[in-house]
């Protein structure tokens, strides 16, 4: 009998890899949205810690919200609640720290600085009880209209009713301080004037290029050809004195200047000079 019991128990043991949803708490769409808001709030708070962030193009101004405290009508759970507050402004979501053991009178004094887009005139507040082993429980919420006086540079410090399990506007109240600051007109950035690129061509070097090598409209600077200054050496005769003497011996009756002229015209070529002189004497 004992062996049968042991065998039946062993057959119920799961062998192999655990399923992906093992010990995973299933969440309905509302809980999934709450979890997504929490992740968004963590990202935005990290951005605020490093600086105010990038100003969106459709921002109406900057809204400062101080989430001071709340007074709730009931403590849900067996122990004191650990409430925290989540606030949504447009598409931005922010969270306060958790007020541990805050129960029905949590205090946060959290200041949220955010840009409020055009067309957004209300904020959405939610209060959660932080849980350790289950999804956080949403206790209360409120859709708060920002008064027009706030957009006129007035500071509002007031209590707003909360809705929850007890009914509309019956879950308690929350204390908020609202301040609005208009954005100053941003100067229109002027285009930077960059010097027009110029294509340089080295002097004295031929350049072969396709039309696509030079962008349209780019000037091409070609420096003038540098005049090669050569030292003018005195030009001497292209023949030697011995060559002239040989020509004179062959034509003793001819004037020496005539011999020099013919010899220079033939660039010192004695054979050509002799032929020309012979032709001159035979005429």
């Amino acid at each position: 009998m004992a062996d049968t019991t042991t065998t039946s128990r062993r057959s119920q043991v799961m062998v192999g890899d655990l399923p992906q949803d093992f010990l995973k708490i299933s969440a309905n769409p509302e809980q999934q949205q709450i979890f997504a808001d929490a992740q968004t709030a963590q990202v935005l708070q990290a951005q605020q810690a490093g600086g105010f962030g990038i100003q969106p193009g459709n921002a109406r101004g900057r809204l400062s919200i101080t989430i001071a405290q709340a007074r709730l009508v009931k403590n849900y759970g067996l122990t004191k609640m650990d409430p925290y507050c989540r606030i949504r402004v447009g598409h931005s979501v922010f969270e306060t720290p958790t007020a541990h053991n805050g129960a029905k009178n949590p205090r946060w004094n959290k200041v949220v600085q955010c840009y409020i887009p055009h067309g957004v005139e209300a904020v959405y507040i939610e209060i959660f009880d932080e849980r350790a082993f289950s999804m956080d429980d949403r206790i209360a919420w409120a859709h708060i209209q920002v008064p027009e006086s706030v957009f006129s540079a007035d500071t509002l410090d007031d209590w707003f009713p909360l809705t929850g399990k007890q009914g509309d506007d019956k879950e308690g109240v929350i204390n908020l301080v609202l301040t609005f600051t208009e954005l100053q007109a941003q100067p229109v950035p002027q285009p930077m004037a960059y010097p027009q690129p110029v294509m340089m061509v080295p002097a004295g070097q031929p350049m072969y290029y396709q039309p696509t090598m030079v962008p349209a409209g780019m000037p091409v600077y070609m420096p003038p050809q540098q005049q090669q200054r050569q030292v003018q050496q005195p030009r001497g005769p292209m023949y030697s004195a011995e060559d002239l003497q040989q020509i004179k011996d062959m034509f003793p009756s001819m004037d020496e200047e005539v011999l020099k002229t013919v010899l220079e015209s033939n660039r010192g070529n004695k054979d050509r000079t002799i032929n020309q002189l012979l032709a001159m004497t035979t005429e």
Side-chain angles (χ1 to χ4, degrees):
M1 183 66 180
D3 294 340
T4 304
T5 304
T6 303
T7 304
S8 62
R9 289 178 178 177
R10 287 180 178 176
S11 64
Q12 297 176 3
V13 176
M14 181 180 292
V15 180
D17 296 334
L18 295 174
Q20 295 291 336
D21 57 350
F22 182 70
L23 293 180
K24 183 178 180 180
I25 301 174
S26 58
N28 55 38
E30 181 181 357
Q31 291 174 329
Q32 292 177 357
Q33 181 62 46
I34 292 174
F35 181 72
D37 288 345
Q39 290 183 319
T40 304
Q42 291 175 0
V43 173
L44 291 174
Q45 285 178 354
Q47 292 178 352
Q48 271 200 340
F52 195 75
I54 301 175
Q55 175 180 329
N58 64 336
R60 178 180 181 180
R62 188 171 62 188
L63 185 64
S64 174
I65 307 172
T66 302
I67 308 170
Q69 58 180 320
R71 295 175 185 170
L72 306 174
V73 298
K74 185 176 180 179
N75 182 86
Y76 295 93
L78 299 177
T79 60
K80 288 186 177 182
M81 295 189 301
D82 298 325
Y84 66 89
C85 186
R86 182 178 297 162
I87 183 168
R88 180 189 293 272
V89 182
H91 296 292
S92 301
V93 182
F94 305 91
E95 281 187 1
T96 67
T98 300
H100 296 285
N101 296 324
K104 296 192 300 180
N105 297 291
R107 292 179 177 271
W108 299 290
N109 290 320
K110 170 69 176 179
V111 179
V112 172
Q113 302 278 353
C114 61
Y115 291 108
I116 182 169
H118 285 281
V120 176
E121 297 180 352
V123 298
Y124 185 64
I125 293 281
E126 295 174 292
I127 298 178
F128 293 86
D129 178 20
E130 187 176 71
R131 302 291 179 86
F133 301 104
S134 63
M135 294 289 294
D136 295 346
D137 185 23
R138 189 170 69 155
I139 303 170
W141 57 90
H143 192 80
I144 300 174
Q145 192 77 18
V146 180
E148 191 61 34
S149 60
V150 173
F151 294 111
S152 301
D154 291 341
T155 299
L156 176 67
D157 184 350
D158 203 354
W159 293 83
F160 299 90
L162 295 169
T163 299
K165 298 177 182 179
Q166 302 298 319
D168 293 344
D169 299 339
K170 296 180 180 180
E171 198 64 49
V173 289
I174 187 170
N175 181 212
L176 300 180
V177 181
L178 305 177
T179 304
F180 177 77
T181 305
E182 291 187 0
L183 296 178
Q184 297 181 355
Q186 298 293 329
V188 179
Q190 298 294 329
M192 297 183 64
Y194 293 99
Q196 188 178 12
V198 178
M199 187 172 183
M200 303 294 296
V201 179
Q205 296 184 10
M207 179 178 178
Y208 305 94
Y209 61 90
Q210 299 293 332
T212 56
M213 292 176 59
V214 181
M218 178 185 292
V220 178
Y221 174 72
M222 303 183 66
Q225 299 289 339
Q226 297 181 357
Q227 297 181 358
Q228 298 180 357
R229 298 181 179 179
Q230 298 181 353
V231 179
Q232 299 292 333
Q233 300 290 340
R235 298 181 60 182
M238 290 176 287
Y239 53 86
S240 62
E242 182 179 356
D243 295 336
L244 180 60
Q245 186 61 42
Q246 290 178 358
I247 299 298
K248 288 175 62 176
D249 293 342
M250 295 179 63
F251 301 93
S253 60
M254 286 191 136
D255 185 59
E256 182 176 353
E257 292 299 326
V258 175
L259 298 177
K260 290 181 178 181
T261 302
V262 177
L263 190 59
E264 289 178 357
S265 64
N266 290 303
R267 305 185 63 84
N269 192 323
K270 292 191 296 182
D271 294 337
R272 190 181 302 170
T273 301
I274 293 172
N275 291 333
Q276 287 186 2
L277 291 176
L278 288 174
M280 292 171 62
T281 57
T282 57
E283 290 179 355

